[in-house]
Each structure stands twice: as C-alpha cells, then as structure tokens.
Amino acid sequence: MTNKSRQIGFTIFMAAYSLYHAVLGKNVMIVSPSERQSMHVMEMVMAFWNTLPGKPPVEEMTKKNIIFNKLNGWVRSFPNSPNTVRGFTTHILFKDEFAHFLNGTDRAIEEALGPSMTDDAEEWVVSTPFGENNRYYEIWNKDTRYDKHLINFRECDKDEKTMRDKCPDPLAFEQEYENTFDRKSVV
C-alpha cells in the first residue's frame, strides 16, 4: 500500500512494472477512478511497449489492454466499475488512486476484485489521500495486512516552491503533496 504525493512518477512506474510482468506471462489489472485515467495508464504502457527491442508477439492491443497470450500475459486497464472488472484472473492488481473511488465504489470494487486474484497475487493499493470517508483511509490507518509506504514529493527531488506554485491553496497542498488525509485539520 502506498500513500503518495502527486507528480512523483508513480504512474510511469506502474506502467513499466505492468508491462514487464505481462511480457513474463503475468496477468496485470489496473483499475483507476475514471475511464480517462485508465486510458492514460495504458498510453504509458504502450509508450514503453514501443521502445522495447525484439517485442514478443501480441495477440491483441487496444486502448484498454495489451494481450500477449489470452491465458497468461496481459495488461488490462479498467475504469472504476465493479461490473466491468469481473471475470478475469490476475496475478498483479493495481488499485490506482483508490481514495478517489467515490460513492461506495471502493468497497464494491474490493468485492468484485477479491475473487479475481490468484492465491499469490500482488495487490497494490495506491493513492493520494482524499479525506477520511473512504476505504483507502481505513486500510492505511487500520488494516495490518498491507506493507505501507509513504512517498513524499521531497523524496523525489521535487522543488517545494514549484509544487506550492502548482497548488497554492494550503489545504489542497497538504492533501495532494504532504500525504495528509484530513484537510479540515490543517490550518
């Protein structure tokens, strides 16, 4: 589980990691809060794919997936919809920006995806915080099953003044860059 600042390159990592493991025969699912975000991740996967020398054969490539072998070896990127993520078996699951799965869809996605994971599946729960009324907050603060990693923008050689200029509202800055859950408590 990762609590991360914005603009640290995690989506780039997620795309590269997903493609690497799919080429090696793993099934990788990425679920993002919206269709636009899920397609953005796949654009990055495809960008990495285009740089690979000696590409393995692809059975299918679309804006939403790249499939090397229908049984094993694919990356599929979905928007946050419990109905569309069912029916797959995955070795690696990314819940991308999980705190932003709104209106109870965070719990519905967990219920839909749980049976999709193999017994030895990797589950990545990744997000910037978004208040305290969501499953991501509960997992970060109460669930001991996950290894937890906090990545602050300062660890990624980002200039604080530049980051503050991008997000001048102090409360929003606390959430987006300082990994803070409760914006109301920041004064």
Side-chain angles (χ1 to χ4, degrees):
M1 171 166 214
T2 304
N3 177 342
K4 65 172 191 67
S5 297
R6 296 277 303 273
Q7 300 296 316
I8 63 163
F10 201 91
T11 303
I12 294 168
F13 161 77
M14 184 171 46
Y17 188 87
S18 297
L19 181 62
Y20 172 79
H21 286 283
V23 167
L24 295 177
K26 299 278 185 168
N27 296 345
V28 183
M29 287 181 69
I30 303 164
V31 183
S32 301
S34 70
E35 184 168 11
R36 179 196 58 78
Q37 289 163 299
S38 66
M39 289 175 61
H40 176 67
V41 173
M42 280 310 295
E43 288 169 1
M44 289 188 179
V45 170
M46 298 303 179
F48 280 116
W49 167 253
N50 287 328
T51 66
L52 288 179
K55 296 175 179 73
V58 173
E59 286 188 24
E60 181 180 328
M61 187 181 299
T62 69
K63 291 181 179 181
K64 297 182 180 183
N65 60 57
I66 183 168
I67 300 170
F68 301 104
N69 178 301
K70 291 206 187 311
L71 297 177
N72 286 303
W74 47 257
V75 178
R76 297 179 192 266
S77 189
F78 296 95
N80 174 17
S81 170
N83 294 329
T84 61
V85 299
R86 292 179 177 275
F88 298 96
T89 300
T90 188
H91 304 104
I92 301 171
L93 170 63
F94 281 97
K95 295 176 189 171
D96 178 33
E97 289 296 354
F98 191 56
H100 299 267
F101 285 39
L102 304 177
N103 303 317
T105 58
D106 50 0
R107 294 180 195 290
I109 282 289
E110 282 188 320
E111 290 171 11
L113 288 174
S116 299
M117 293 188 291
T118 61
D119 290 344
D120 60 346
E122 291 179 39
E123 180 181 12
W124 293 71
V125 182
V126 180
S127 194
T128 53
F130 192 62
E132 297 177 357
N133 191 22
N134 57 64
R135 185 74 180 111
Y136 180 76
Y137 173 83
E138 291 173 12
I139 295 170
W140 182 259
N141 286 287
K142 299 174 186 171
D143 197 324
T144 59
R145 294 174 298 158
Y146 294 87
D147 291 331
K148 296 176 183 168
H149 307 277
L150 188 138
I151 305 173
N152 186 271
F153 74 94
R154 290 178 186 86
E155 298 172 66
C156 302
D157 293 328
K158 297 286 186 175
D159 177 64
E160 183 168 346
K161 181 182 180 329
T162 302
M163 297 295 104
R164 286 192 183 276
D165 289 346
K166 290 180 180 182
C167 191
D169 179 286
L171 297 178
F173 184 83
E174 290 295 319
Q175 177 178 274
E176 302 296 333
Y177 294 102
E178 295 288 10
N179 313 92
T180 302
F181 282 90
D182 183 12
R183 289 178 58 173
K184 295 179 294 246
S185 68
V186 179
V187 180

